[in-house]
């Protein structure tokens, strides 16, 4: 019987460089959490003057960016905190990480020399002031690249053809349109760039002291990679910017070793010089790993700054909505995903305006408002009983619905949309079960609405921060693959001991069977309203 054990008394470190924070989670060889640290950008690094971790540019419609140096200073800070917590860095056998998807970093010509010659007596921040040709990194919230999206779709024969090739139609937040915009509007900046990293490969580059590859899973979130060949698409690269392949570097599987830890971290934090840095990947792929999602029919739901619904398949069918990425923990499979930009920030806005910024009051409003008593996006369904759509009319409202109703409206509206689009994308509806993660998953009242709308049980993991947990688990998996000299199944890492680890799930919500068919009808009407809005206002 093959030995898939992890080295006794060793640790595995996982990071999550998200929109609003940098999280570090350390697992031991039994996959239990040793310690964790969290750096909230707005509060821990207030001198950057970000709100929710970003800058919203009032002079350019849709431009949303983050200061690149902030992410570096956050890495300095989180490692210092781990050091002060008496973590023994020498026990860490491997490190990996999660980065907010689509965000990009532009390294100035000559920056590789900075990476390879870091002074361990100085913080990282002091050594990267002149390393970037673009000081503010475009992030996934940006929507300023509509023109570039249309150009890329036209270059390959339309939106559907681009989706079949790269896994997604062109989206403003995707990295390819962002690069194209920089080349077209600031060609001197593009020419002064020697490497373009995603947030994930950028953070890995800091750790290895050289340019890390973009991994195949996160690379699929760029509109630049052929998802079947798992290689850059020459057609799309040429339509984006000249000489782009050289600036992007090579792609690598998510389980591969990016390199050994840089001497900088060995000397400054006492890492073991043989510590491996496993390829970083995107936040959603790492959540898939952290939730140990491995059964077709299961869905995961991440309720964070953006809301996502994702599952796994061996036979993806890319279309005009949703995304297809290579599975980060399976060399042959794929993950399919829907992403909503308006996630927790929308819920928090309603909480602040209608529940006095208090989640308990928000939950009380939610539970004391009857189901189906609401509209969404200022629409009300008249004569809706839950039994049929016959005789149901839609009335458009211009005023607010009222304090309590607004709280239910935002939650029902979000989940009805998720279910409708998930079903249209080919995801199982109802799924066998949903595993929920992210900040919103700690609210059982919100999960109760999800259970009723999707018609299945909802589970949560022991900790809602599945991305950093998944990164630590992927660090262990990458270490094991390196030891064996070949890819090994992801389940070999945790085997049959999953319920004894930090990866265990617990039942959080059960659907009310009398509500499920009524919500299924409501989903159809919801999609009709959305289609009318698209016809009225346009896609973009």
């Amino acid at each position: 019987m093959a030995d898939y054990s992890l080295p006794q008394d060793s640790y595995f470190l996982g990071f999550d460089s998200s929109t609003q924070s940098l999280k570090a989670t350390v697992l031991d060889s039994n996959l239990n959490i040793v310690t964790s640290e969290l750096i909230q950008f707005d509060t821990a690094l207030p001198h950057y003057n970000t709100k929710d971790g970003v800058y919203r540019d009032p002079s350019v419609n849709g431009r949303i960016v983050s200061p690149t140096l902030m992410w570096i200073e956050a890495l300095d800070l989180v490692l210092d905190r781990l050091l002060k917590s008496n973590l023994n860095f020498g026990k860490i056998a491997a490190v990996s990480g999660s980065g907010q998807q689509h965000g990009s970093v532009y390294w100035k010509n000559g920056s590789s020399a900075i990476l390879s010659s870091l002074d361990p007596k100085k913080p990282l921040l002091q050594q990267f002031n002149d390393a970037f040709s673009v000081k503010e990194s475009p992030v996934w919230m940006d929507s300023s690249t509509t023109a570039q999206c249309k150009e890329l779709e036209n270059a390959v024969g339309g939106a559907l053809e681009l989706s079949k090739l790269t896994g997604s139609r062109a989206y403003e937040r995707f990295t390819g349109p962002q690069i194209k915009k920089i080349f077209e509007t600031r060609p001197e900046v593009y020419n002064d760039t020697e490497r373009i990293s995603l947030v994930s490969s950028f953070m890995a580059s800091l750790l290895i002291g050289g340019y890390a590859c973009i991994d195949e899973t996160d690379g699929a979130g760029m509109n630049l990679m052929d998802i079947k060949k798992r290689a850059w698409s020459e057609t799309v690269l040429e339509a984006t910017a000249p000489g782009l392949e050289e600036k992007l570097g090579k792609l690598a599987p998510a389980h591969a070793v990016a390199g050994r830890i840089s001497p900088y971290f060995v000397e400054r934090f006492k890492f073991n010089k043989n510590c491996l840095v496993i390829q970083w990947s995107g936040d959603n792929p790492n959540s898939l790993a952290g939730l140990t999602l491995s059964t077709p029919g299961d869905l995961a739901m991440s309720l964070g700054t953006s809301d996502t619904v994702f599952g796994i398949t061996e036979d993806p069918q890319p279309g005009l909505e949703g995304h297809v990425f290579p599975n980060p923990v399976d060399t042959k499979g794929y993950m399919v995903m829907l992403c909503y930009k308006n996630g927790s920030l929308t819920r928090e806005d309603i909480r602040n305006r209608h529940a006095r910024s208090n989640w308990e009051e928000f939950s009380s409003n939610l539970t004391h408002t009857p189901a189906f008593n609401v509209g969404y996006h200022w629409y009300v369904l008249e004569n809706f009983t839950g039994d049929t759509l016959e005789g149901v009319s839609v009335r458009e409202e211009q005023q607010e619905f009222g304090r309590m109703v607004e709280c239910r409206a935002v939650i029902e509206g979000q989940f009805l949309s998720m279910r409708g689009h998930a079903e249209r994308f080919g995801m199982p509806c109802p799924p066998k079960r949903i595993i929920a993660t992210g900040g919103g998953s700690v609210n059982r009242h919100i999960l109760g609405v999800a259970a009723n709308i999707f018609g299945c049980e909802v589970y949560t993991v022991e900790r809602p921060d599945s991305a950093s947990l998944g990164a630590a688990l992927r660090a262990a998996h990458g270490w094991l693959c390196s030891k064996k000299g070949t890819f090994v199944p992801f389940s070999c890492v945790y085997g049959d001991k999953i319920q004894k680890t930090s990866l265990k799930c617990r039942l959080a919500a059960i659907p009310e069977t009398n509500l499920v068919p009524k919500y299924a009808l409501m989903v159809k009407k919801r999609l009709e309203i959305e289609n009318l809005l698209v016809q009225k206002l346009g896609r973009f």
Side-chain angles (χ1 to χ4, degrees):
M1 186 174 179
D3 178 17
Y4 294 118
S5 61
L6 300 171
Q8 283 296 111
D9 207 31
S10 62
Y11 294 158
F12 298 91
L13 172 59
F15 291 101
D16 176 28
S17 182
S18 69
T19 313
Q20 302 187 54
S21 64
L22 177 64
K23 177 74 180 283
T25 298
V26 182
L27 295 180
D28 63 18
S29 57
N30 293 315
L31 306 183
N32 289 310
I33 293 175
V34 176
T35 189
S36 63
E37 290 288 347
L38 175 68
I39 306 297
Q40 288 283 358
F41 299 145
D42 290 1
T43 53
L45 301 169
H47 45 284
Y48 289 99
N49 297 313
T50 56
K51 185 179 186 302
D52 305 318
V54 301
Y55 298 143
R56 293 170 174 83
D57 190 341
S59 65
V60 180
N61 185 36
R63 181 176 181 266
I64 300 180
V65 296
S66 289
T68 310
L69 288 175
M70 180 179 72
W71 298 335
I72 294 177
E73 188 171 0
L75 182 58
D76 272 331
L77 190 53
V78 78
L79 290 173
D80 282 339
R81 288 189 183 179
L82 287 171
L83 191 64
K84 290 175 182 175
S85 74
N86 295 317
L87 175 69
N88 185 344
F89 283 86
K91 288 186 175 183
I92 298 174
V95 182
S96 192
S98 155
Q100 56 171 295
Q101 288 197 265
H102 317 304
S104 47
V105 174
Y106 299 79
W107 298 88
K108 185 184 291 186
N109 287 329
S111 292
S112 60
I114 298 174
L115 269 173
S116 62
S117 58
L118 295 174
D119 183 351
K121 295 183 177 63
K122 298 178 182 178
L124 289 171
L125 180 66
Q126 295 181 13
Q127 304 181 65
F128 285 98
N129 278 314
D130 196 38
F132 307 108
S133 54
V134 176
K135 306 294 185 184
E136 297 171 344
S137 292
V139 296
W140 64 271
M141 299 168 77
D142 187 283
S143 58
S144 65
T145 60
T146 301
Q148 288 76 23
C149 287
K150 291 180 178 177
E151 290 168 7
L152 286 181
E153 290 179 345
N154 291 338
V156 297
L160 183 59
E161 292 305 311
L162 185 64
S163 182
K164 290 178 179 178
L165 179 63
T166 70
S168 304
R169 67 178 303 171
Y171 286 90
E172 288 93 338
R173 66 183 180 272
F174 273 42
T175 325
Q178 295 289 340
I179 294 171
K180 185 173 178 61
K181 177 188 170 186
I182 287 176
F183 166 68
E184 290 177 349
T185 61
R186 303 164 69 188
E188 73 287 352
V189 168
Y190 180 81
N191 291 332
D192 194 31
T193 299
E194 73 178 15
R195 178 60 66 102
I196 300 173
S197 297
L198 296 180
V199 176
S200 55
S201 60
F202 162 68
M203 297 295 286
S205 298
L206 297 176
L207 292 175
I208 66 174
Y211 292 137
C213 296
I214 292 172
D215 88 283
E216 294 168 353
T217 303
D218 213 11
M222 302 174 74
N223 280 139
L224 298 176
M225 190 187 86
D226 184 322
I227 58 167
K228 293 181 180 177
K229 297 179 180 178
R230 304 195 184 203
W232 299 123
S233 165
E234 291 185 11
T235 303
V236 187
L237 291 185
E238 290 174 3
T240 303
L244 182 53
E245 185 169 5
E246 183 179 354
K247 295 180 189 293
L248 293 174
K250 295 181 179 180
L251 289 158
H255 68 274
V257 175
R260 295 191 184 275
I261 196 80
S262 163
Y264 172 88
F265 297 97
V266 175
E267 295 188 41
R268 189 171 177 86
F269 296 99
K270 308 306 178 187
F271 275 87
N272 187 308
K273 66 179 182 179
N274 294 317
C275 174
L276 299 180
V277 178
I278 305 303
Q279 286 288 151
W280 284 44
S281 192
D283 49 3
N284 293 300
N286 275 280
S287 288
L288 182 145
L291 298 173
T292 62
L293 198 68
S294 57
T295 305
D298 286 352
L299 289 183
M301 179 184 293
S302 178
L303 302 175
T305 308
S306 63
D307 286 344
T308 54
V309 184
F310 50 90
I312 59 173
T313 183
E314 293 182 357
D315 183 28
Q317 302 295 327
L320 291 179
E321 60 184 2
H323 313 292
V324 176
F325 305 137
N327 189 325
V329 292
D330 180 356
T331 56
K332 296 179 180 178
Y334 295 84
M335 68 177 287
V336 289
M337 185 179 80
L338 291 168
C339 181
Y340 290 80
K341 291 174 67 175
N342 296 323
S344 65
L345 297 182
T346 303
R347 291 187 288 273
E348 289 165 9
D349 178 61
I350 296 296
R351 176 203 63 185
N352 295 344
R353 290 195 285 125
H354 299 286
R356 293 181 290 192
S357 302
N358 184 286
W359 279 119
E360 289 186 6
E361 184 170 332
F362 180 95
S363 296
S364 177
N365 292 345
L366 178 62
T367 56
H368 286 91
T369 308
F372 320 120
N373 189 29
V374 303
Y376 10 77
H377 304 309
W378 314 121
Y379 288 88
V380 172
L381 300 187
E382 293 187 319
N383 306 317
F384 181 72
T385 63
D387 299 320
T388 179
L389 291 178
E390 291 184 13
V392 175
S393 60
V394 178
R395 174 165 52 88
E396 187 170 350
E397 291 282 316
Q398 296 300 326
Q399 71 277 357
E400 293 182 345
F401 290 112
R403 177 174 59 86
M404 296 180 71
V405 173
E406 287 282 348
C407 295
R408 177 167 283 275
V410 69
I411 299 302
E412 284 196 342
Q414 288 180 325
F415 287 140
L416 286 166
S417 179
M418 285 184 195
R419 162 147 183 191
H421 288 280
E423 196 165 4
R424 201 155 72 180
F425 189 40
M427 293 182 181
C429 284
K432 293 179 181 177
R433 63 173 179 166
I434 287 173
I435 307 175
T437 184
S441 68
V442 302
N443 189 313
R444 63 185 179 87
H445 302 289
I446 291 177
L447 297 185
V449 177
N452 289 333
I453 289 176
F454 277 86
C456 68
E457 294 178 343
V458 178
Y459 291 77
T460 58
V461 287
E462 189 171 288
R463 298 173 66 94
D465 47 339
S466 59
S468 65
L469 184 64
L473 194 59
R474 286 186 49 254
H477 180 237
W479 182 92
L480 196 57
C481 292
S482 176
K483 178 188 175 184
K484 294 296 184 181
T486 187
F487 177 83
V488 299
F490 189 54
S491 58
C492 293
V493 179
Y494 51 83
D496 57 0
K497 59 184 179 181
I498 192 167
Q499 290 302 318
K500 300 177 182 178
T501 73
S502 298
L503 310 173
K504 62 185 177 184
C505 294
R506 64 178 178 84
L507 181 62
I510 299 174
E512 300 175 55
T513 53
N514 62 310
L515 296 181
V516 173
K518 297 179 179 181
Y519 274 124
L521 283 174
M522 217 171 187
V523 167
K524 295 180 181 179
K525 185 57 68 172
R526 163 77 190 212
L527 292 181
E528 287 179 18
I529 293 171
E530 285 190 8
N531 289 337
L532 289 173
L533 285 171
V534 170
Q535 292 172 19
K536 179 180 178 181
L537 302 174
R539 171 176 170 253
F540 296 107

